[in-house]
Amino acid sequence: MAVGVMDIEEGAASLPGKTTFQVVMCSIIAAVGGLMFGYDIGISGGVTSMDTFLLDFFPHVYEKKHRVHENNYCKFDDQLLQLFTSSLYLAGIFASFTASFLCRRFGRKPIIMSASIFFLLGAILNYFARDLGMLIGGRILLGFGIGFGNQTVPLFISEIAPPRIRGGLNIAFQLLITIGILAASFVNYLTSTMKNGWRYSLGGAAVPALILLIGSFFIHETPASLIERGKDEEGKKVLRKIRGIDNIELEFNEIKRATEISNKVKSPFKELFTKRENRPPLVCGTLLQFFQQFTGINVVMFYAPVLFQTMGSGNNASLVSTVVTNGVNALATVFAVIMVDRLGRKFFLVEGATQMMATQLTIGALLLKYLHLVGPITSHAVPLIVLILICIYVSGFAWSWGPLGWLIPSEIYQLEVRTTGYFCAVAMNMVCTFVIGQFFLSALCRFRSGLFFFFAVMNVIMGLFAIFFLPETRGVPIEDMAEQRWKKHWHWKKYFKQN
Ligand code: BGC
């Protein structure tokens, strides 16, 4: 099992050391992995709504889209078109599982480097794609890039960051995801009117990949990974560099101790799934990611342009609308970075779920009333109102289930199973993203506005889950989580032997 600063006692918060230029640079470079992930999330929807892309690869969808009396809700319903978006996540699940082992054996740096190379190759293949095979092959390579990156980058940042700014840096990864999404929607807007514009949009993924590839030559391997692989002296050298002090013995010993405990656990997966005490964080951490996806966020992220077009907006207007919603996403994440340690996790989770539930209900009701099976939408104001509602919805996600879906699973596990537990959260994210990506357009066709009511109900359930089942983790030292929270929780306490 990989072990890291994430795995060190919270007493480490008082470890000596400065926030050095090295740490900031290494973290920013690694977080470009988030930019890659975000660019991909943001690019797919715009591309699948571009006429030239549809004509080249999905001519039947193009025809359907332009048939005036075609069922409004089914214009884009096509399993292959959806496979274009979702194939990446299938590859991602496999890749992040593989990465969880490889980064223990070879260190974080080579895995981050490989992530950028996979992503670069995927971008190149997609740029030159002549048929669906090349297109999907490219997506699979991108999926490897994202699986490797998402499993390793947050771990890398947590290991390299001084404990006291670890939470903030963790959410900064999400911030880069949202900046990637925003940049992608802007690129789509620019390329949508160009001949073969989709090639530039897909090929543009090479830019964050190249930045990460070049940058990864300059980052240090994490001390935890070096020490874990028996390279103690090298580990000490890096610690001195990134902490900017000579006296690093205390932190070195903490890492050494954490490594020894975790190395005793030979099969972290078995430990995670069979030991009763691990059940509460396992259930809560993976459910958080399940619910994160069933807020319906990726319906908006992947298919907002398609959705706006379904409501009758022109190509251009729908891409502008997407830039606007993605801008709101990034700004609201900044708010989360600042406020999440002040107002607490639960407050944001419940508030966010309520805000998303209310907007989903209203969007569902508007579509039910105004978007009939055939013909254009019967009110001009409705697309604008839906745009505003989607912005309110996205901001609700961006300061709650978005960042917290990643942050909380990183702080609730016991030392021995923390990175394995974190993998389960990443895998749940990828599985659910795949499901949404693959089935949303078909579900929209079949259930129409009812789909928005479904997501509204999911938001009620997740709000209740946050209220009744999730302990508040703000300000609780990681190693005291069991004592201070799980053992005192009305439901989860029964998983612990009381002493
Ligand atoms: C989620 C992605 C989502 C993004 C939107 C991330 O936390 O995991 O699925 O597209 O947020 O900002």
Side-chain angles (χ1 to χ4, degrees):
M1 182 184 67
V3 69
V5 170
M6 209 157 84
D7 297 338
I8 291 169
E9 265 188 304
E10 199 59 24
S14 55
L15 289 171
K18 309 168 193 156
T19 302
T20 60
F21 177 73
Q22 301 270 2
V23 162
V24 175
M25 275 323 287
C26 287
S27 302
I28 291 176
I29 290 171
V32 175
L35 204 63
M36 267 178 8
F37 182 36
Y39 185 88
D40 191 83
I41 293 171
I43 214 74
S44 330
V47 166
T48 47
S49 71
M50 283 181 197
D51 284 350
T52 50
F53 177 78
L54 291 176
L55 268 173
D56 283 349
F57 296 101
F58 303 92
H60 52 290
V61 180
Y62 175 83
E63 249 176 55
K64 221 179 347 173
K65 177 180 154 188
H66 288 273
R67 257 184 257 144
V68 189
H69 35 259
E70 182 63 51
N71 183 334
N72 270 324
Y73 291 94
C74 300
K75 284 179 181 172
F76 295 90
D77 173 23
D78 183 80
Q79 287 297 322
L80 271 180
L81 182 66
Q82 293 173 94
L83 190 63
F84 165 77
T85 301
S86 60
S87 52
L88 181 150
Y89 292 91
L90 272 190
I93 298 163
F94 176 71
S96 52
F97 180 71
T98 317
S100 71
F101 291 100
L102 291 182
C103 74
R104 184 187 183 194
R105 190 159 158 66
F106 300 107
R108 325 300 187 224
K109 189 172 157 163
I111 306 304
I112 292 180
M113 220 175 240
S114 320
S116 65
I117 295 172
F118 277 126
F119 206 76
L120 185 61
L121 292 177
I124 295 173
L125 197 61
N126 274 348
Y127 177 84
F128 288 107
R130 307 213 163 282
D131 51 39
L132 209 53
M134 281 175 85
L135 206 58
I136 306 269
R139 296 289 292 168
I140 292 175
L141 283 171
L142 293 176
F144 265 81
I146 285 180
F148 271 42
N150 281 14
Q151 177 67 28
T152 319
V153 168
L155 185 65
F156 176 91
I157 296 178
S158 294
E159 287 181 341
I160 207 112
R164 63 183 177 283
I165 57 166
R166 195 175 58 223
L169 279 179
N170 193 304
I171 296 191
F173 174 67
Q174 168 78 10
L175 185 60
L176 269 143
I177 298 179
T178 61
I179 292 173
I181 298 175
L182 177 62
S185 54
F186 196 63
V187 170
N188 273 341
Y189 173 67
L190 293 180
T191 63
S192 63
T193 47
M194 294 178 189
K195 191 168 175 281
N196 282 331
W198 63 267
R199 284 195 197 277
Y200 303 113
S201 287
L202 295 183
V207 175
L210 268 176
I211 301 176
L212 185 62
L213 179 60
I214 297 169
S216 62
F217 283 98
F218 297 96
I219 59 179
H220 295 292
E221 182 53 272
T222 69
S225 169
L226 289 165
I227 297 164
E228 187 182 29
R229 287 174 295 132
K231 302 181 179 182
D232 288 11
E233 282 317 306
E234 241 179 283
K236 281 185 184 168
K237 218 161 94 190
V238 175
L239 262 182
R240 279 191 201 101
K241 237 184 233 161
I242 61 174
R243 298 286 174 255
I245 50 168
D246 276 337
N247 176 19
I248 41 76
E249 286 307 315
L250 203 56
E251 186 166 358
F252 172 80
N253 291 336
E254 289 279 7
I255 297 177
K256 194 82 192 152
R257 186 194 60 81
T259 309
E260 276 160 12
I261 295 178
S262 82
N263 279 350
K264 277 197 199 119
V265 176
K266 286 291 165 245
S267 170
F269 272 104
K270 195 167 153 219
E271 177 93 359
L272 180 63
F273 289 111
T274 54
K275 208 166 155 197
R276 260 178 86 74
E277 286 94 318
N278 290 327
R279 203 74 49 82
L282 179 63
V283 171
C284 289
T286 33
L287 268 184
L288 265 165
Q289 275 292 353
F290 171 83
F291 284 136
Q292 189 208 56
Q293 288 307 307
F294 278 90
T295 55
I297 186 64
N298 280 322
V299 166
V300 176
M301 292 300 131
F302 294 154
Y303 299 122
V306 169
L307 213 61
F308 290 127
Q309 285 195 19
T310 296
M311 289 185 306
S313 306
N315 216 345
N316 208 23
S318 69
L319 288 174
V320 173
S321 309
T322 310
V323 174
V324 172
T325 48
N326 291 340
V328 169
N329 188 19
L331 277 181
T333 307
V334 175
F335 181 66
V337 174
I338 302 166
M339 295 309 286
V340 78
D341 281 321
R342 299 186 195 181
L343 297 178
R345 296 13 173 178
K346 277 179 86 145
F347 168 80
F348 275 112
L349 290 175
V350 176
E351 193 283 333
T354 313
Q355 189 170 325
M356 288 186 281
M357 183 266 299
T359 43
Q360 299 269 23
L361 277 183
T362 323
I363 294 173
L366 284 174
L367 291 186
L368 189 64
K369 186 156 182 340
Y370 292 102
L371 186 62
H372 304 301
L373 273 190
V374 289
I377 207 153
T378 44
S379 155
H380 287 308
V382 170
L384 180 65
I385 298 174
V386 171
L387 172 64
I388 295 170
L389 286 169
I390 288 187
C391 287
I392 300 175
Y393 163 83
V394 164
S395 62
F397 174 87
W399 59 55
S400 63
W401 293 79
L404 297 177
W406 296 105
L407 176 62
I408 298 176
S410 81
E411 57 185 19
I412 53 175
Y413 283 100
Q414 308 239 29
L415 186 64
E416 316 83 80
V417 291
R418 198 163 292 150
T419 51
T420 317
Y422 197 71
F423 159 73
C424 293
V426 177
M428 181 57 92
N429 175 277
M430 301 257 172
V431 171
C432 296
T433 311
F434 167 77
V435 170
I436 302 271
Q438 186 63 31
F439 299 112
F440 171 69
L441 292 178
S442 306
L444 181 66
C445 172
R446 178 172 296 200
F447 302 112
R448 304 196 278 273
S449 51
L451 199 57
F452 292 91
F453 297 124
F454 164 76
F455 284 123
V457 171
M458 288 304 289
N459 275 290
V460 174
I461 298 174
M462 65 187 74
L464 292 174
F465 161 78
I467 294 174
F468 292 110
F469 289 99
L470 212 65
E472 173 60 63
T473 52
R474 175 180 69 126
V476 181
I478 300 184
E479 300 307 331
D480 289 348
M481 205 60 80
E483 287 302 323
Q484 287 196 27
R485 290 295 183 261
W486 300 118
K487 285 187 184 177
K488 292 187 179 154
H489 190 271
W490 70 272
H491 175 70
W492 301 118
K493 66 179 176 200
K494 61 178 180 238
Y495 288 85
F496 294 84
K497 281 186 227 99
Q498 298 296 332
N499 37 22

